[in-house]
Amino acid sequence: MELRRRQALTGAGGIALGGLMPGLAFGQGAPQRGGTLTVQIVGEQRVLNPAIQASTGVYVMASKIVEPLVDLDAAGEPTGVLAERWDSAPDGLTHTFHLRRGVTWHDGKPFTSKDVQFSAMECWKKILNYGTTLYLFLEAVETPDEHTAVFKFSRPMPQGLLLRALPDLGHVIPAHVYEGADIRANPANTAPIGTGPFKFVEYQRGQYLLAERNPNYWRGNGLPYLDRIVWRFISDRAAAAAAIESGQVQFSPYSGLSLSDIARLSKDARFTVGTKGNEGNTAHTVCEYNLRRKELSDVRVRRAIAHALDLDFFVENFLFGYAKLGTGPIPSSSAPFYVPRPAPYPFDKARAEALLDEAGYKRPSRNGQRFAQPLKLLPAPWGEYTLNFATFIQQSLREIGIRVEIEARDAPGFLTGVYRNHDFDLTTGWHQYRNDPAVSTTVWFRTGSPVGAPWTNQYGYDNPEMDRTIDAAATELDPARRKSLYQDFVKLAIDDLPVHMAVEHAFISVYSKRLMNSHTNPRWASSSWADAWLAPA
């Protein structure tokens, strides 16, 4: 599985023009107006505000309602959404965004630079997981007029990094809705107000989210084509596959079906099955360690657990070969930063046993347990990968004298238990690589993220050398030097092993061939769908 993508725009001081739909497709016939697109969602989301929570589970719904400054086009290059164009100072300390005129929020109020300032300073910098690290050195957003936002950094911000980050970490919310109140408790977090092609209508917990066509969408030209989108929460993968086959659901994103059903539906002429349109979200299946647990605070124990996992067996027998071994936190799809290396912790049961003995956790008997208490493992409820990996870890660690108890929770319970309450010893989940290590990868290893921020370093890992390396790489303007710094980062991440990036894989989409203008950019499931349409049944 090798993904390819175009490199980011990197020249400081360059100007990019935007406004084109990300990945407009041709050759599919005249678009048809109307219709309802129904989408399967595996896990329900407690928050639908992408300015304070970055995740594909949020994006796949909220990005149709709330828009970013910049997205990626069909070639994987930055293209303007709420920003028409931008320019950067040569020193990387100032980035100016010229905003689109004539845009209104769904409540009729005008979109202005004040909204960008509020979103960046109050949400992206202070609350947004990943954003708290990316925007660490953002000092201010100046608003010389209603259509200009000037980002001021105290340390250099590479233009290419910023533009690559904004599709995920640059969604703008209305300041007039959020000012003067607790942002996290605002009702708009589950009833979002945006500028996008679809307007929020209804959220029925445990059932569905409904959004309808925005008749005043700024793009004009009859967009969007669809009348409405319904996201149905279907966690039972057999039920989801049946809904796809019956035509009740037209799209299952982000590997939402079982791998056996994916293989079966790939042979059905009614559906398209593949990884196209997901290149911007290469993922790792991961095991996170809670270093607050005494045994796991010893790196020898963490390394022993990694060596106890026969990942080649896992890939072939649990994942049907739809993956390969991870070689560190930067995946092979990241051409600008990846350096080939072997998997760092090959399966070696004898080595695992020796490391545990060395750490002082010898078996009291041949079948005895090394730890007085079992490890509590919380699997992320995102898909078959994470649930299977939890079972695989449990079975593998039994072989080296470590008992593991799996505690399954729904999505809100998992996020609260792991990232706020730290009520876990091990957890399995996904790490998604988003175009540049500084966007969503280094935050898993740097200290300083607010308690409760999902998919950040919430497991007690603290290495000042790691923090210095991450900060230096994120502010380095020279591409060659940045790449070198990220190799230092990878080495530290592998050696310290607070997170085991065990398996690398691409997400798989399953969708009806009636769905047109789809999967036309590297992050299509998380883009706006303004030009998507349904062919007649």
Side-chain angles (χ1 to χ4, degrees), residues 509-531:
S509 295
V510 179
Y511 55 99
S512 168
K513 288 187 176 175
R514 292 182 56 216
L515 179 57
M516 301 295 181
N517 275 359
S518 75
H519 295 80
T520 51
N521 69 62
R523 55 185 304 278
W524 188 82
S526 296
S527 63
S528 78
W529 301 357
D531 62 338

Side-chain angles (χ1 to χ4, degrees), residues 375-453:
L375 298 179
K376 179 194 287 188
L377 194 164
L378 270 60
W382 312 143
E384 191 174 5
Y385 292 86
T386 56
L387 296 172
N388 283 349
F389 195 39
T391 301
F392 180 71
I393 290 173
Q394 181 186 52
Q395 295 171 346
S396 299
L397 297 195
R398 184 185 302 137
E399 296 296 316
I400 60 170
I402 298 176
R403 186 157 58 96
V404 174
E405 293 182 352
I406 295 175
E407 183 177 312
R409 300 185 183 183
D410 62 10
F414 170 81
L415 294 175
T416 299
V418 173
Y419 297 106
R420 183 171 297 279
N421 297 337
H422 307 142
D423 181 24
F424 74 102
D425 296 317
L426 302 173
T427 178
T428 60
W430 279 341
H431 159 253
Q432 293 176 57
Y433 182 83
R434 294 180 170 94
N435 307 304
D436 187 290
V439 176
S440 63
T441 300
T442 56
V443 73
W444 284 62
F445 299 88
R446 198 194 187 286
T447 58
S449 292
V451 172

Side-chain angles (χ1 to χ4, degrees), residues 173-460:
I173 58 173
H176 66 274
V177 172
Y178 282 88
E179 281 181 319
D182 184 349
I183 292 173
R184 290 183 175 90
N186 197 299
N189 290 335
T190 52
I193 298 169
T195 59
F198 297 93
K199 299 173 66 173
F200 171 84
V201 174
E202 184 180 12
Y203 183 6
Q204 285 290 334
R205 288 287 186 187
Q207 298 183 54
Y208 62 85
L209 175 74
L210 171 63
E212 293 185 344
R213 184 178 188 273
N214 175 11
N216 300 312
Y217 186 44
W218 57 265
R219 289 191 191 273
N221 299 318
L223 297 175
Y225 295 127
L226 295 167
D227 285 337
R228 65 189 61 82
I229 303 174
V230 177
W231 294 268
R232 288 180 54 191
F233 305 118
I234 310 175
S235 58
D236 184 309
R237 285 167 172 72
I244 286 274
E245 289 184 278
S246 67
Q248 297 177 58
V249 169
Q250 291 83 43
F251 178 30
S252 175
Y254 293 121
S255 303
L257 302 181
S258 71
L259 288 168
S260 57
D261 281 325
I262 286 173
R264 180 172 56 82
L265 293 174
S266 68
K267 301 172 184 177
D268 190 320
R270 297 174 297 168
F271 307 108
T272 299
V273 177
T275 60
K276 183 179 183 296
N278 295 315
E279 298 90 346
N281 284 309
T282 302
H284 284 98
T285 295
V286 305
C287 177
E288 302 167 56
Y289 301 92
N290 190 344
L291 275 62
R292 300 171 186 86
R293 171 82 182 241
K294 178 179 179 294
E295 296 92 336
L296 297 178
S297 67
D298 191 323
V299 70
R300 293 170 295 185
V301 174
R302 302 196 296 275
R303 291 172 180 171
I305 290 173
H307 277 302
L309 306 178
D310 186 350
L311 296 175
D312 283 310
F313 180 89
F314 177 71
V315 167
E316 292 305 317
N317 293 277
F318 283 75
L319 302 183
F320 294 80
Y322 284 107
K324 63 182 180 181
L325 301 195
T327 60
I330 298 177
S332 59
S333 60
S334 179
F337 300 105
Y338 180 72
V339 173
R341 56 172 48 83
Y345 292 98
F347 176 56
D348 188 337
K349 185 178 173 183
R351 178 62 177 152
E353 300 254 20
L355 282 166
L356 290 169
D357 288 347
E358 181 184 324
Y361 298 105
K362 295 184 178 182
R363 289 181 189 252
S365 64
R366 179 176 176 81
N367 296 317
Q369 300 301 310
R370 295 177 181 272
F371 303 159
Q373 298 295 325
L375 298 179
K376 179 194 287 188
L377 194 164
L378 270 60
W382 312 143
E384 191 174 5
Y385 292 86
T386 56
L387 296 172
N388 283 349
F389 195 39
T391 301
F392 180 71
I393 290 173
Q394 181 186 52
Q395 295 171 346
S396 299
L397 297 195
R398 184 185 302 137
E399 296 296 316
I400 60 170
I402 298 176
R403 186 157 58 96
V404 174
E405 293 182 352
I406 295 175
E407 183 177 312
R409 300 185 183 183
D410 62 10
F414 170 81
L415 294 175
T416 299
V418 173
Y419 297 106
R420 183 171 297 279
N421 297 337
H422 307 142
D423 181 24
F424 74 102
D425 296 317
L426 302 173
T427 178
T428 60
W430 279 341
H431 159 253
Q432 293 176 57
Y433 182 83
R434 294 180 170 94
N435 307 304
D436 187 290
V439 176
S440 63
T441 300
T442 56
V443 73
W444 284 62
F445 299 88
R446 198 194 187 286
T447 58
S449 292
V451 172
W455 308 291
T456 66
N457 176 3
Q458 297 292 335
Y459 23 83

Side-chain angles (χ1 to χ4, degrees), residues 7-17 70-72 76-79 83 85-98 134-135 151 153 155-167 337 435-436 438-439 473-479 482:
Q7 292 193 18
L9 180 65
T10 56
I15 296 178
L17 300 179
V70 173
D71 205 342
L72 300 182
E77 299 290 352
T79 185
R85 56 189 176 88
W86 45 83
D87 51 79
S88 301
D91 61 7
L93 298 177
T94 301
H95 301 267
T96 301
F97 290 87
H98 306 276
L134 181 79
Y135 298 109
F151 285 61
F153 291 85
R155 294 180 64 173
M157 166 63 75
Q159 187 195 58
L161 165 57
L162 183 59
L163 296 180
R164 284 288 180 176
L166 285 170
F337 300 105
N435 307 304
D436 187 290
V439 176
T475 57
E476 176 59 57
L477 298 180
D478 176 45
R482 281 196 84 213

Side-chain angles (χ1 to χ4, degrees), residues 16-48:
L17 300 179
L20 298 176
M21 285 300 299
L24 183 64
F26 298 95
Q28 297 180 334
Q32 302 292 306
R33 289 289 303 276
T36 298
L37 173 62
T38 304
V39 183
Q40 176 226 0
I41 300 295
V42 173
E44 189 167 5
Q45 298 295 317
R46 180 171 291 175
V47 173
L48 296 175

